[in-house]
Amino acid sequence: MQGSVHTLIRTQIDKATANAIVRNPAYLDDEQLSREGQFAVLTEIFNANVRDREIRDVSSHFAPMFQNGHPVHLSVLGKTGTGKTITILYLLHEFEELCRERRIPFRQYHLDLCCAVPCFRALNNLACLMGASKYYKRGISLDDLMLAIEKHLRSVSGYVTVFIDESDNIRTDADSFYKFLIKRLPQRIEGKLILVFASNRLNWADNLDPRIKSCLKMRETIFDPYDATDLQTILEIRVTKALRAGMMDEGVVPMIAALSSRNHGDARKAVDLLTRSAQLAEKQCQHITLDAVRQASEEIERDKYVTLIRTGPKHLQAALYAALLGSEKRPKSLHTGDAYLLYDHFCGAVSLRPLTQRAFSDLLSELDMYGFIRARTVSRGRYGRSKEIHIAVAAPVVAELKSTILACFGMVGPVVTRR
DNA sequence: TGTCCACAGGAAATACGGGGGT
DNA sequence: ACCCCCGTATTTCCTGTGGACA
């Protein structure tokens, strides 16, 4: 008997290795790569003429630096997944090298405001990057932080580049932060300050105080979403690095590229689709087929909804549950009032204080915006005006959403509403 | 043609909570 | 530790509305 278990384990391992498609998963997930690794992949991608215009644009913008000039600030705009951050980091790294060769003093800092932070946090993080101050939770004034940064930079000559990633992500008092960077800091330091902003909101600077905005001299460059050709190039480079050769049907990469460019033009999502397809194919012990891509795409779509609702506010979850439940009972005509009643009961069952109907109406609009439901306002004559609610997601997703919501409230079975 | 339903959705008021100053 | 301020969430109040029905 023992022998058979050993054989089983061995054959299973052999089988799994024989079916392995992913050879080097790091190349499917940049997080797992070192900065050098990322740059190496990027070099290949850029060499294939992807992001050519943007590279020319930014390079020529920084060119005056090599003739003792002073480039104005730069604003890099574009949707998520268009490679703004990594391209800028790459270019700044290149500029740094070039400056070293030509003995031009240059230093760069990358301030990543990946989550919304108040002015204090942003300044403190910047000061920490520069080594100008320690990390404070609180208890130090904004002015002290600014002084620390000034003091640190006062002795620095040459070019100082500060790359402010997600520059629209300053939650409170963005004006003070930018007033400091744009108006005050350049006057108090000897070096030449160049700010690089990146944002996925085209009009992020519009919210700034007009006085600050007026003295913000900057040039804008826009990163367009990748088109199918670009995505195909990017995917092919990743495929050769990450996957075993010959494990993929013809047309898989073009299909992923086409789907992704049509839906979002986001390279990260395209690579994600490739990864999911590969994993799915591995599980099914076959090559990556067009069908696997289709399945993976559906899986991602489903996950998107499920994570959206799982991480969303409680009341939104409750409202969606009510809408799903109500639509089953009355697939054709679920109106706001009925849905609110169900919501009210659900809240009672999970001991959540229900919001008013006015707020519930806004929740429905939000669910509509996210694409869970379609809620259009209709007039039923003397029976009043109301929203008509239809489910906008496929049946399997509905089931998953319902169990997810119940799990969020710590329940397993369907809720028994009393009345 | 006027009425009236059952809400939509805007605006103002109010509650709440967290961060920063003292 | 305490207070104040400010941004956000929610409630309250209100006006508007399209079409069935009498």
Side-chain angles (χ1 to χ4, degrees):
Chain A
M1 277 301 132
Q2 250 186 4
S4 70
V5 171
H6 287 157
T7 333
L8 178 69
I9 295 169
R10 276 169 182 68
T11 46
Q12 199 56 39
I13 288 175
D14 286 345
K15 207 168 124 196
T17 0
N19 287 319
I21 295 175
V22 181
R23 184 165 49 107
N24 202 339
Y27 284 102
L28 295 175
D29 179 13
D30 273 359
E31 303 269 297
Q32 291 180 34
L33 286 176
S34 63
R35 210 13 86 73
E36 290 77 42
Q38 292 179 12
F39 283 168
V41 176
L42 219 52
T43 305
E44 274 192 54
I45 293 175
F46 290 154
N47 280 341
N49 285 340
V50 175
R51 287 289 174 245
D52 212 35
R53 178 186 64 75
E54 288 80 358
I55 292 172
R56 284 172 206 273
D57 225 30
V58 178
S59 301
S60 62
H61 179 83
F62 275 89
M65 213 164 58
F66 300 94
Q67 294 171 325
N68 203 26
H70 190 173
V72 294
H73 305 312
L74 180 69
S75 178
V76 182
L77 306 168
K79 290 207 239 170
T80 50
T82 49
K84 299 185 294 292
T85 303
I86 194 69
T87 306
I88 294 297
L89 286 175
Y90 184 91
L91 290 172
L92 287 178
H93 181 252
E94 287 290 308
F95 298 155
E96 197 170 24
E97 291 284 301
L98 206 56
C99 283
R100 191 174 301 140
E101 278 171 28
R102 303 192 182 179
R103 302 189 182 285
I104 300 169
F106 175 90
R107 52 173 80 190
Q108 49 141 328
Y109 303 99
H110 176 210
L111 178 66
D112 189 2
L113 306 175
C114 53
C115 42
V117 293
C119 174
F120 177 83
R121 187 75 289 125
L123 277 174
N124 191 208
N125 287 351
L126 182 59
C128 288
L129 278 177
M130 296 176 166
S133 114
K134 61 173 197 154
Y135 182 89
Y136 290 98
K137 270 192 167 166
R138 51 164 66 192
I140 182 172
S141 73
L142 295 180
D143 211 51
D144 287 345
L145 283 173
M146 294 177 186
L147 286 171
I149 294 172
E150 283 170 13
K151 192 177 160 207
H152 181 80
L153 288 182
R154 200 162 294 150
S155 53
V156 174
S157 59
Y159 295 95
V160 178
T161 303
V162 181
F163 175 25
I164 302 154
D165 208 349
E166 312 276 334
S167 51
D168 56 348
N169 235 350
I170 301 219
R171 186 153 33 100
T172 54
D173 213 3
D175 283 340
S176 305
F177 181 71
Y178 286 116
K179 188 175 169 191
F180 169 70
L181 279 181
I182 294 164
K183 290 181 89 165
R184 182 168 145 182
L185 191 57
Q187 290 176 1
R188 307 217 178 167
I189 63 172
E190 199 182 313
K192 291 171 180 163
L193 182 71
I194 307 166
L195 301 173
V196 180
F197 309 98
S199 170
N200 41 28
R201 285 180 28 207
L202 294 180
N203 60 347
W204 73 272
D206 290 353
N207 299 335
L208 290 180
D209 186 316
R211 281 167 298 179
I212 301 171
K213 213 183 143 195
S214 71
C215 61
L216 170 61
K217 301 260 184 315
M218 68 174 180
R219 177 166 149 181
E220 292 185 348
T221 183
I222 294 181
F223 278 51
D224 292 325
Y226 292 108
D227 63 23
T229 329
D230 289 342
L231 287 173
Q232 196 165 332
T233 312
I234 294 170
L235 287 168
E236 268 157 10
I237 288 170
R238 304 251 176 199
V239 164
T240 48
K241 287 188 176 298
L243 306 188
R244 271 175 55 201
M247 299 301 283
M248 185 182 282
D249 281 3
E250 208 166 310
V252 163
V253 168
M255 178 172 170
I256 296 177
L259 277 175
S260 303
S261 75
R262 198 183 60 201
N263 293 339
H264 40 69
D266 181 332
R268 207 172 301 138
K269 286 184 184 168
V271 175
D272 191 36
L273 180 54
L274 172 68
T275 313
R276 289 290 271 272
S277 311
Q279 288 167 348
L280 208 68
E282 265 180 5
K283 216 184 287 173
Q284 295 166 350
C285 303
Q286 57 175 17
H287 292 191
I288 305 177
T289 57
L290 294 180
D291 205 48
V293 175
R294 229 166 275 134
Q295 277 183 48
S297 168
E298 279 166 23
E299 232 174 61
I300 289 173
E301 191 70 4
R302 191 162 66 226
D303 283 2
K304 191 177 77 186
Y305 285 115
V306 171
T307 16
L308 198 60
I309 201 66
R310 195 180 46 226
T311 55
K314 290 273 174 228
H315 284 289
L316 198 70
Q317 296 172 348
L320 179 60
Y321 193 84
L324 295 176
L325 213 62
S327 298
E328 272 170 20
K329 287 182 183 164
R330 314 177 184 198
K332 280 189 193 129
S333 61
L334 179 68
H335 296 105
T336 313
D338 314 327
Y340 182 70
L341 236 50
L342 289 168
Y343 161 81
D344 198 42
H345 291 157
F346 181 79
C347 284
V350 297
S351 36
L352 185 71
R353 196 173 61 85
L355 299 178
T356 55
Q357 188 159 338
R358 174 71 186 83
F360 180 73
S361 165
D362 284 344
L363 288 177
L364 288 180
S365 305
E366 205 174 333
L367 287 172
D368 180 299
M369 203 181 67
Y370 288 139
F372 290 103
I373 61 174
R374 281 197 318 279
R376 58 197 181 100
T377 47
V378 291
S379 174
R380 291 181 296 153
R382 66 154 30 181
Y383 304 109
R385 267 159 72 83
S386 165
K387 280 194 172 106
E388 205 173 75
I389 301 163
H390 296 278
I391 299 302
V393 292
V397 186
V398 169
E400 202 162 334
L401 285 174
K402 278 167 76 179
S403 57
T404 305
I405 296 170
L406 290 178
C408 286
F409 285 101
M411 314 179 79
V412 273
V415 172
V416 186
T417 52
R418 60 203 143 71
R419 163 165 253 194

